[in-house]
Amino acid sequence: MREQLLLNRLDDIGKNLAQTDGALLLLALGSVGIELERLDAYSDLDFFVIVKPGFKPRFIDQLDWLESVHPLGYSFQNTKDGHKILFEDGIYGEFAIFEEQEMTSIAYSAGRIVWQDALFTNPNLGTPRQKTDVARPETMDYALNEALTNLYVGLCRYARGEKLSGVKFVETSAVDNIISILHLVEQENDYFPDVFGNERRVEKRFPEFTKRMCNMMQGYENVPSSAIEILAYIEKIYPVNQKMSNEIKRLSAMCLQEKSD
């Protein structure tokens, strides 16, 4: 099974790091970390390698410590700290290299220690010092008024022919703002919320809302119809300003009329 292959690959990376000068610890994150319950065939490798002072450039610039585990088919340095990689057998991963002292100022989710040097005296790096939580607004006011203005501006962009910008305002920004307050609308299923991406696993966390998402995101040519559906949802859960509602409906109707002409 691919899931086991992912875990085996991590174990093999750990074994190889044990033979590589400068390595101190391998920390697995996400679905290969402490969230193994959600590990599936579409998961990837997300990990940190903690190294001795002065060794960070060596592990970033030379990927032999990975190549000797399994050949890489693709890699590129996406941050100053690490790479995105694809092994020849199709396993994808993202990693970062840090020295121990850097970890106190880095925001990350708790992870699973796969390997650590026997002489390394800091076994607590699996738990971040910088506390991160999913944003939980206490009221709907800000997010939903932002969503309303996203709809208005997005429809104006769409009407003048800036359809891509319209898509982003209506089907991305407005929907993201709604997702941020869904915990105030329906009971959230406790399924691994992601502090770095609130849209992650929304289908399992908020199943009632997700039944509506298809109509809220109808695509590049159907932004006005998406806006109407989003507005209808907001009006169902929040007392929308009538003037703004009327303007959004007017713009939507105008765009739909122009499309049909």
Side-chain angles (χ1 to χ4, degrees):
M1 292 179 62
R2 182 177 172 83
E3 294 93 319
Q4 191 58 53
L5 185 61
L6 289 164
L7 297 177
N8 291 344
R9 182 62 47 83
L10 268 178
D11 289 340
D12 290 342
I13 292 172
K15 293 173 184 176
N16 202 44
L17 288 171
Q19 307 301 318
T20 307
D21 188 29
L24 293 175
L25 182 143
L26 173 61
L27 183 67
L29 305 167
S31 61
V32 294
I34 63 173
E35 299 178 359
L36 290 171
E37 182 181 335
R38 66 177 182 84
L39 178 65
D40 61 24
Y42 303 100
S43 295
D44 53 44
L45 300 182
D46 191 3
F47 60 93
F48 290 167
V49 178
I50 313 305
V51 299
K52 295 177 182 178
F55 277 83
K56 181 170 179 172
R58 179 264 182 271
F59 282 86
I60 293 175
D61 297 339
Q62 303 174 49
L63 302 185
D64 55 302
W65 54 278
L66 287 172
E67 287 274 9
S68 57
V69 173
H70 196 91
L72 290 172
Y74 169 85
S75 69
F76 92 101
Q77 186 174 344
N78 67 307
T79 71
K80 65 181 179 64
D81 300 309
H83 290 245
K84 294 183 176 183
I85 57 173
L86 182 68
F87 289 99
E88 284 285 1
D89 60 358
I91 288 181
Y92 175 81
E94 300 182 12
F95 72 85
I97 309 295
F98 297 111
E99 295 183 5
E100 181 181 1
Q101 70 272 14
E102 293 182 277
M103 297 297 285
T104 59
S105 59
I106 295 170
Y108 62 98
S109 299
R112 175 176 63 90
I113 295 175
V114 177
W115 166 83
Q116 64 179 331
D117 186 276
L119 300 179
F120 188 48
T121 58
N122 188 349
N124 300 316
L125 291 181
T127 303
R129 294 281 295 276
Q130 294 286 329
K131 185 175 176 58
T132 53
D133 293 304
V134 177
R136 299 287 184 186
E138 295 181 358
T139 71
M140 300 182 188
D141 296 342
Y142 177 83
L144 293 187
N145 280 292
E146 275 291 310
L148 290 170
T149 58
N150 294 151
L151 296 181
Y152 179 86
V153 173
L155 287 167
C156 287
R157 300 278 176 89
Y158 183 92
R160 70 159 63 105
E162 297 180 38
K163 292 185 177 181
L164 178 58
S165 183
V167 170
K168 294 182 71 173
F169 269 92
V170 172
E171 299 188 4
T172 300
S173 297
V175 172
D176 282 347
N177 275 304
I178 293 172
I179 290 173
S180 74
I181 54 83
L182 283 180
H183 61 286
L184 300 175
V185 180
E186 66 176 90
Q187 182 66 43
E188 179 178 5
N189 292 329
D190 185 16
Y191 193 79
F192 304 108
D194 189 329
V195 297
F196 302 109
N198 198 32
E199 78 284 353
R200 295 294 304 275
R201 296 173 283 282
V202 70
E203 293 83 0
K204 291 187 177 181
R205 291 164 51 218
F206 298 105
E208 289 304 313
F209 173 74
T210 56
K211 294 175 183 177
R212 297 174 170 266
M213 286 198 303
C214 185
N215 289 333
M216 292 182 178
M217 292 179 282
Q218 298 182 39
Y220 182 79
E221 293 290 349
N222 298 300
V223 169
S225 297
S226 298
I228 291 170
E229 292 292 335
I230 294 169
L231 176 62
Y233 179 78
I234 296 174
E235 289 184 322
K236 179 181 177 182
I237 63 173
Y238 185 77
V240 172
N241 175 273
Q242 193 60 54
K243 175 63 175 177
M244 179 59 80
S245 175
N246 290 343
E247 283 299 300
I248 292 170
K249 291 172 182 175
R250 180 186 65 79
L251 284 167
S252 297
M254 182 187 72
C255 290
L256 288 171
Q257 181 60 46
E258 290 180 355
K259 181 181 176 182
S260 66
D261 288 345

